[in-house]
Amino acid sequence: RMQRINWFPYPDINDSKAFWPGSLAQTDFPTINGRKWLRCTVTATGEAYSQYSMDGDMVPPAGGYHAHARVYAQSGSGIFRIYTYADGKYTVVVEAAVDDGKTIDVDRAFTIPAGCTQVLVRIMPANKVGAKALMSDLLVESRTTYDSAVGGGASGLLLGRHHAARLTLLGVAA
């Protein structure tokens, strides 16, 4: 049996030195309903964000990974992203939008390329003063151990993260 490792170095969501706030945002770390969150609040219009940076020996080895995050947006839609930095450029490898007033679980596969020297985990609120976006429950795990732990890469539908009856009633599922 393979050991599961969360490569994200701050799963408890703290204000460690690895955290970099964007210049157009205020960041705090509230506990809401027993869960610790990173909350980014827009203080001036522009591309506001808050993020964690994984650098040096915190960057996982090149290969396939699975990302998980719980994300919430208020006063407009938000965006959750993961970037890798390799060969002199940043690449968005995970992106998920969250609607105003909604909480979503992001579960995505992605690849860390050879030569990657930095991984950024970022939350971006809507571009309006007072808008907020929050992230919690961050996980970056080898795709191999993640797939094995959840049953060989089964879909969200099979894992119960989607409502099959509701999808069928809406005519989305065949």
Side-chain angles (χ1 to χ4, degrees), residues 71-79 98-103 125 132-134:
V71 181
Y72 172 79
Q74 181 180 351
S75 299
S77 297
I79 298 173
V98 57
D99 292 334
D100 181 21
K102 302 291 182 189
T103 301
K132 297 174 178 20
L134 293 81

Side-chain angles (χ1 to χ4, degrees), residues 95-143:
E95 182 172 286
V98 57
D99 292 334
D100 181 21
K102 302 291 182 189
T103 301
I104 64 168
D105 284 323
V106 177
D107 283 295
R108 303 278 168 84
F110 72 101
T111 300
I112 294 179
C116 180
T117 58
Q118 185 179 50
V119 176
L120 300 176
V121 179
R122 179 180 289 185
I123 190 75
M124 300 167 53
N127 185 9
K128 101 180 174 185
V129 173
K132 297 174 178 20
L134 293 81
M135 63 181 171
S136 186
D137 296 348
L138 300 171
L139 171 78
V140 173
E141 182 177 355
S142 164
R143 197 175 309 150

Side-chain angles (χ1 to χ4, degrees), residues 11-155:
D12 59 344
I13 308 295
N14 61 47
D15 56 351
S16 68
K17 292 179 183 176
F19 160 75
W20 295 351
S23 63
L24 304 174
Q26 175 185 341
T27 304
D28 63 338
F29 302 88
T31 299
I32 303 168
N33 295 328
R35 176 175 281 126
K36 187 88 178 239
W37 296 82
L38 180 152
R39 177 171 52 199
C40 178
T41 304
V42 176
T43 56
T45 57
E47 190 172 309
Y49 63 89
S50 296
Q51 68 187 11
Y52 282 101
S53 177
M54 297 163 61
D55 305 283
D57 62 357
M58 287 191 268
V59 175
Y65 289 85
H66 176 88
H68 172 83
R70 179 153 291 180
V71 181
Y72 172 79
Q74 181 180 351
S75 299
S77 297
I79 298 173
F80 171 82
R81 285 187 181 153
I82 297 179
Y83 298 81
T84 57
Y85 184 79
D87 299 323
K89 67 178 181 176
Y90 286 98
T91 302
V92 176
V93 293
V94 172
E95 182 172 286
V98 57
D99 292 334
D100 181 21
K102 302 291 182 189
T103 301
I104 64 168
D105 284 323
V106 177
D107 283 295
R108 303 278 168 84
F110 72 101
T111 300
I112 294 179
C116 180
T117 58
Q118 185 179 50
V119 176
L120 300 176
V121 179
R122 179 180 289 185
I123 190 75
M124 300 167 53
N127 185 9
K128 101 180 174 185
V129 173
K132 297 174 178 20
L134 293 81
M135 63 181 171
S136 186
D137 296 348
L138 300 171
L139 171 78
V140 173
E141 182 177 355
S142 164
R143 197 175 309 150
T144 304
T145 58
Y146 178 83
D147 287 351
S148 175
V150 299
S155 74

